[in-house]
Amino acid sequence: MSSISHQMAQFALNLKYEEIPADVIKEAKRFLLDSIGCALAAVRNEDMQAMYRFTEKLGGSPEATLIGTGAKTNAPNAALMNCLLTRALDYNDIYWEQDPSHPSDLIGAALAAAEANGKDGREALLAIVLAYEFEMRWCHAAEPGVREVGWHHATLTQFVSPLVAGRMYDLDLDQIVAAVGISGSSHFTLGGVVAGHLTNMKNTADPLAAQAGVIAAMMAREGYEGPVEVLEGKEGLFEVLNNVTWRPDWLLKDLGEDFMITRCGYKAFPTEALTHQPISAALQVCRENKIAAEDVAQILVETTTRGADILSDPSKFTPKTKETADHSLPYVIAAAVADGNVLPDSFSDEKLGDPRIWDLLSKIKVVADPEIDALFPRVKRARVSVTTLDGSTYTAQVDHAKGSPENPLSDEEIIAKFRANAEGVISPQRQNKIIRDTWAFDEIADLGAYMRLLVAE
């Protein structure tokens, strides 16, 4: 019996573009446009400017283009920078079953590896599809998910990125298996990067795991080897991380028959995924009942244990940084009630000191509801009750946040989100060109020309 990584590599090697259903290709294009918009919105952030400087100091062969600046570097450096730009605002996609993941964290690696190897749009789309198929299956592979026992989902991304990059580097079967072994031996990530007071590493962990796959593919191409049974072998993943029940059949389940990408969700808010239902409920109850921030006496948020614990610990009631605020359930609820929405500028320095938001923070209580927990992760319910100064209480309950497959974004809404993110970074004319070229991405022969469209003006 061949190893699991061998069987995954076989699929990555053999998948043909013509075998991918049209709706799957369409979804890959939609996620590409959404991710490019998220990246463009982040290019002028202070932390991204620091990473641009860092990337420039690394140097590297000019083979792949950086979003924002248009500078060229080697594929691993471009993968890290472009994946990080996509991730920086916590505004890209989300899939959450036993484990959470953001498969679009890998799009930057797919594009960098594809551009460096002279691939066209069809091959790059195939790489994006591979990223979603494997990343999303990993979300089912452990019960409870590895995040529940203290590991970040980048721990699982390290096994996906070499499959994506390996296909773009034209590796043979043994080389792709080696790349999985190389990457999968090196990037186990502590869940502490998204617990308590948060730092830039919250957004950087998964891009580093994406970059690791590109490095591993390049090493394997030169003849470097890695453990063949990195998952099921002695002291492999399943044996060492043994406080979960592994379900390895999920990693290969219906590959090539049931494409997972159509089940992934988009983010309507630039915040941690489990805040979306509570935000939606808070907005609904305030809009339906015409409640302003000044009318509020108390806000009760009923959510999962995770939402009440990790997203509402004491540090989340006094957020000092964007990274903490966009993972703070109390802060995003306060921002939603104060401003009628949660947008990227909800985490500006000015907003982090907004007295209207801070006044609401002291009125918010977050509790775990056992019935909601029992539904999770199949249904990610949240309930928000707002009590006004006159003693009236109004409640809204939301099971499916906007952007989820059950409550999807239309093409027009994807485009509107892209334009809002790209505004002030590139002109409307350039936005139009990017939209047209993304919808026709399978006709692109020169990826470098597409990437040059993504330079800030």
Side-chain angles (χ1 to χ4, degrees):
M1 178 69 70
S2 58
S3 69
I4 295 172
S5 58
H6 184 279
Q7 294 175 72
M8 292 192 293
Q10 187 84 61
F11 177 76
L13 184 64
N14 291 343
L15 181 63
K16 294 179 175 59
Y17 183 86
E18 296 76 16
E19 298 171 347
I20 304 174
D23 64 328
V24 172
I25 294 297
K26 177 63 181 296
E27 208 59 49
K29 293 176 181 179
R30 280 164 44 95
F31 278 117
L32 175 59
L33 183 64
D34 184 62
S35 301
I36 292 299
C38 293
L40 289 171
V43 297
R44 295 189 176 126
N45 284 14
E46 184 178 347
D47 54 349
M48 294 301 98
Q49 290 298 311
M51 283 300 293
Y52 278 128
R53 295 192 298 271
F54 167 74
T55 304
E56 183 179 7
K57 289 174 181 176
L58 289 179
S61 303
E63 60 185 11
T65 307
L66 301 184
I67 296 171
T69 65
K72 284 200 161 190
T73 183
N74 61 35
N77 292 347
L80 175 58
M81 188 70 230
N82 291 342
C83 291
L84 181 54
L85 285 164
T86 301
R87 186 85 195 99
L89 296 183
D90 215 343
Y91 209 1
N92 55 330
D93 60 6
I94 179 65
Y95 184 71
W96 197 319
E97 288 301 321
Q98 293 297 326
D99 268 300
S101 74
H102 309 276
S104 64
D105 286 358
L106 286 154
I107 286 178
L111 293 176
E115 184 184 1
N117 288 285
K119 301 299 183 183
D120 61 17
R122 284 161 60 101
E123 277 293 298
L125 283 171
L126 186 149
I128 291 170
V129 170
L130 287 175
Y132 277 79
E133 294 317 301
F134 286 118
E135 185 82 359
M136 292 170 69
R137 279 174 173 77
W138 271 108
C139 292
H140 297 264
E143 187 175 1
V146 301
R147 184 67 194 90
E148 296 295 328
V149 295
W151 295 95
H152 188 273
H153 65 261
T155 296
L156 307 177
T157 299
Q158 68 174 327
F159 298 104
V160 179
S161 53
L163 295 163
V164 175
R167 174 62 187 258
M168 295 299 93
Y169 276 90
D170 294 320
L171 302 189
D172 64 27
L173 182 59
D174 290 340
Q175 288 172 326
I176 297 180
V177 173
V180 174
I182 292 166
S183 178
S185 302
S186 61
H187 262 77
F188 286 81
T189 306
L190 295 173
V193 299
V194 290
H197 174 77
L198 302 184
T199 68
N200 302 117
M201 272 304 295
K202 181 258 289 183
N203 297 322
T204 314
D206 217 32
L208 282 168
Q211 180 196 44
V214 181
I215 293 172
M218 295 177 70
M219 292 171 65
R221 186 175 61 172
E222 301 302 324
Y224 222 79
E225 298 179 347
V228 175
E229 295 186 332
V230 69
L231 302 177
E232 70 272 44
K234 181 173 176 56
E235 298 186 15
L237 173 71
F238 300 158
E239 180 180 318
V240 173
L241 211 165
N242 58 14
N243 51 347
V244 300
T245 299
W246 287 103
R247 306 187 295 185
D249 57 301
W250 258 101
L251 298 174
L252 304 168
K253 184 178 181 181
D254 298 328
L255 272 173
E257 299 174 12
D258 181 12
F259 285 85
M260 300 282 287
I261 191 171
T262 57
R263 300 179 203 167
C264 194
Y266 297 80
K267 283 191 172 185
F269 311 108
T271 62
E272 198 277 343
L274 284 184
T275 67
H276 285 216
Q277 286 82 358
I279 291 172
S280 300
L283 291 173
Q284 179 180 328
V285 73
C286 289
R287 289 169 181 169
E288 288 180 350
N289 300 285
K290 297 181 172 55
I291 300 171
E294 292 71 25
D295 301 327
V296 174
Q298 181 181 346
I299 300 174
L300 174 65
V301 182
E302 297 170 273
T303 183
T304 60
T305 296
R306 173 184 294 278
D309 177 16
I310 296 175
L311 300 178
S312 305
D313 63 50
S315 71
K316 303 304 191 303
F317 283 85
T318 56
K320 301 295 195 302
T321 66
K322 171 198 173 300
E323 288 75 20
T324 300
D326 67 20
H327 273 50
S328 162
L329 184 49
Y331 180 88
V332 299
I333 294 297
V337 173
D339 297 331
N341 211 338
V342 181
L343 301 168
D345 64 6
S346 299
F347 307 99
S348 65
D349 290 341
E350 179 183 1
K351 279 297 175 185
L352 287 172
D354 189 334
R356 295 176 74 237
I357 292 176
W358 279 81
D359 179 62
L360 287 167
L361 279 168
S362 64
K363 301 175 180 179
I364 294 173
K365 181 179 182 181
V366 181
V367 299
D369 184 317
E371 293 183 1
I372 291 176
D373 261 342
L375 296 172
F376 186 83
R378 182 178 57 84
V379 175
K380 301 166 185 67
R381 175 173 295 170
R383 191 179 303 112
V384 173
S385 300
V386 178
T387 300
T388 55
L389 293 174
D390 65 6
S392 302
T393 298
Y394 306 91
T395 300
Q397 177 175 292
V398 171
D399 286 354
H400 303 294
K402 185 64 176 175
S404 66
E406 297 84 2
N407 188 9
L409 293 180
S410 66
D411 287 355
E412 291 72 23
E413 288 170 321
I414 294 283
I415 290 171
K417 179 183 172 184
F418 168 79
R419 289 194 186 281
N421 279 330
E423 184 178 0
V425 182
I426 57 176
S427 67
Q429 293 76 17
R430 181 84 67 81
Q431 293 172 31
N432 293 340
K433 173 68 170 166
I434 293 169
I435 292 165
R436 287 195 304 269
D437 284 5
T438 305
W439 291 151
F441 201 73
D442 43 352
E443 300 172 15
I444 288 177
D446 181 3
L447 281 181
Y450 177 85
M451 296 301 294
R452 287 192 291 275
L453 293 172
L454 313 182
V455 178
E457 297 176 2

